[in-house]
Amino acid sequence: MILLDRVVAIASKLAPTGELRRTQVQCGSELARDGTRPITTTFSTLLICLASLNALAAEPELRVQAHLQPTDSIMVGSLVELQLDVLSDTWFTDAPTLPDLKLNGALVMPPNGHAQHLNQTVDGKSFNGLRYSYLITPNLAQGFDIPALTVHATPAQASRPLNAQSQPLHFTAAQPPGFQAGEAVFVASGLRFTQKVFNSATPLKVGDSLTRQLTLQADGALAMSLPPPSLADVPGLSRYLKSPQVSTLDDGRGNFNGGQRIDTATYRIDTEGHHTLPAIEVKWWDASTRQTRTAQVPAITLDAAANSAYRPVFSISEDLKKLGQQRRVHLSGHWFGLLALLLIVVLLGYFARPLVRRAWLEGQARRRARQAAFRQSADYAWQQISPQIEGKPAQLSALYLWTRRSGQGLKLANLGPRLQTLLRACYGRQPTEGQALRQLQQSLATLHSQVEHHKAPAPGALRPLNPVHEKDVP
């Protein structure tokens, strides 16, 4: 019974409640009649019950539904909410992966990660899920097709990630009344347009500045769709614009309410007298009352007194004088010559690269040929004699090589009594090789001079009467 309870506890997580109860009754009745059965029959019954419980564990289901809010009377510049419901008959172990949405002629803001929890009954079956919102603002008066969106998710008890698609949708945006074709349309359910003015000094004088800050807040509109106000230039004032501050308005819990835009311009007073910053208005479509409205901030007037102590960073009078002169470029002849010389050197270097490379390769080839010829000469062999005689053990291969390359053949007896003494010391009955090698080392200079004196005749001289060849030497 303990084993059955464990099996039923595990299977209760996999099978629906009604099916599990029927299985429990079946298994319980089998065990209740087991008082007279052998243990093998009880074990077989347990296996059958376990197999039936595993068969009842079905793969979870994933569904995706899409809705538009509103569904009709959509205007250019208005806000359309695409609600994407991701549902499952179990629960989600991780956040679903949502697709990107792009529409030509519309501004789309993807979900911000905040989701609304849902509990729905579809076809008589309970589903739990999350609702995500795409915010769409159409900019053109035309039809828009929203394709089927594929969502990837892994519900609990799923053996693998699941995919599901929403149904495709369509909506049409119309131009609001009171706006011309191609005119920028700003739609909101509510609007607040205010301004603030900050003076650097009181009273204002030439050289002082004032800052004009405009704040536009719109309900039911994307912050990116808020129109920039017209901050025009004013004669006698220098205008410096600051980057606008654009942000999203919410209810503090992540739910979207609207957008906000703050524009700031600083005006420096360049001339004394009376100045006026013009009024600024914003034309918009009221989605709640379905009519065209205009929001406006009043003009700003100011009087600036003269300031004898003020000196502008750049002299306006000097700039005006320079504007009347022809622009002249003065270039020194010395610098012009250096520039021309540098240009010639660069051009020569660019076009002479193949010649320089070929000359370098030929020089490398000649150097390698000279090294190879020197290694085949008698002088190279002579340089190896002394190190070989001093080596342990001593060697005479370089001596033989030098003799052959010097034109003396292989008859070493012709090289003098020192070499003959060395041969007797090395190969005689009483070898005295060490003493003979030292003597040979001392007489190398004499040996070299003797060979140079009896060097082979020049190529044009007569050959000796009885020449001795290397092959004739025993």
Side-chain angles (χ1 to χ4, degrees), residues 283-474:
K283 183 180 178 182
W284 62 291
W285 172 262
D286 192 344
S288 58
T289 61
R290 304 186 62 81
Q291 56 183 326
T292 304
R293 293 182 179 274
T294 300
Q296 188 181 54
V297 293
I300 300 173
T301 60
L302 59 104
D303 292 308
N307 187 1
S308 59
Y310 172 70
R311 291 291 182 272
V313 179
F314 302 99
S315 176
I316 299 177
S317 58
E318 292 295 330
D319 290 342
L320 294 176
K321 290 180 181 179
K322 292 180 179 179
L323 288 176
Q325 298 179 1
Q326 296 181 354
R327 295 184 177 181
R328 300 176 182 177
V329 179
H330 300 278
L331 186 62
S332 173
H334 175 71
W335 289 108
F336 181 79
L338 290 179
L339 182 62
L341 180 61
L342 179 62
L343 180 61
I344 292 174
V345 171
V346 171
L347 292 176
L348 288 178
Y350 178 79
F351 290 107
R353 283 187 305 170
L355 299 177
V356 173
R357 178 175 176 79
R358 185 171 60 184
W360 182 79
L361 294 176
E362 291 177 354
Q364 292 292 324
R366 287 194 298 268
R367 185 175 62 85
R368 288 192 294 268
R370 287 195 301 268
Q371 290 178 352
F374 175 70
R375 290 179 180 275
Q376 300 297 325
S377 65
D379 292 338
Y380 178 78
W382 175 260
Q383 294 178 359
Q384 311 301 318
I385 294 176
S386 181
Q388 286 190 0
I389 293 176
E390 295 175 354
K392 301 296 182 180
Q395 297 182 12
L396 298 177
S397 58
L399 180 61
Y400 293 132
L401 182 63
W402 173 74
T403 302
R404 181 171 60 83
R405 291 180 178 178
S406 300
Q408 303 300 320
L410 296 178
K411 196 172 182 180
L412 301 180
N414 296 335
L415 297 179
R418 294 279 186 183
L419 190 56
Q420 297 177 15
T421 303
L422 173 63
L423 295 177
R424 294 191 191 96
C426 294
Y427 305 105
R429 295 181 179 180
Q430 297 180 353
T432 57
E433 180 179 355
Q435 181 179 1
L437 287 173
R438 286 192 298 271
Q439 294 176 357
L440 178 61
Q441 180 75 16
Q442 297 173 359
S443 61
L444 283 177
T446 305
L447 181 62
H448 188 273
S449 61
Q450 290 177 358
V451 171
E452 289 294 330
H453 181 70
H454 298 89
K455 203 169 185 180
L462 296 175
R463 295 184 178 183
L465 278 176
N466 300 312
V468 178
H469 301 280
E470 295 181 5
K471 64 179 181 178
D472 298 332
V473 179

Side-chain angles (χ1 to χ4, degrees), residues 1 27-42 45:
M1 291 297 293
C27 295
S29 62
E30 291 292 338
L31 288 180
R33 297 192 299 269
D34 191 48
T36 59
R37 292 189 177 184
I39 190 171
T40 55
T41 306
T42 304
T45 304

Side-chain angles (χ1 to χ4, degrees), residues 60 93 100 105 157 167 183 240 336 406 423 428-429 453:
T93 60
D100 294 332
Q157 303 176 1
Q167 69 277 17
E183 183 181 359
Y240 302 93
F336 181 79
S406 300
L423 295 177
R429 295 181 179 180
H453 181 70

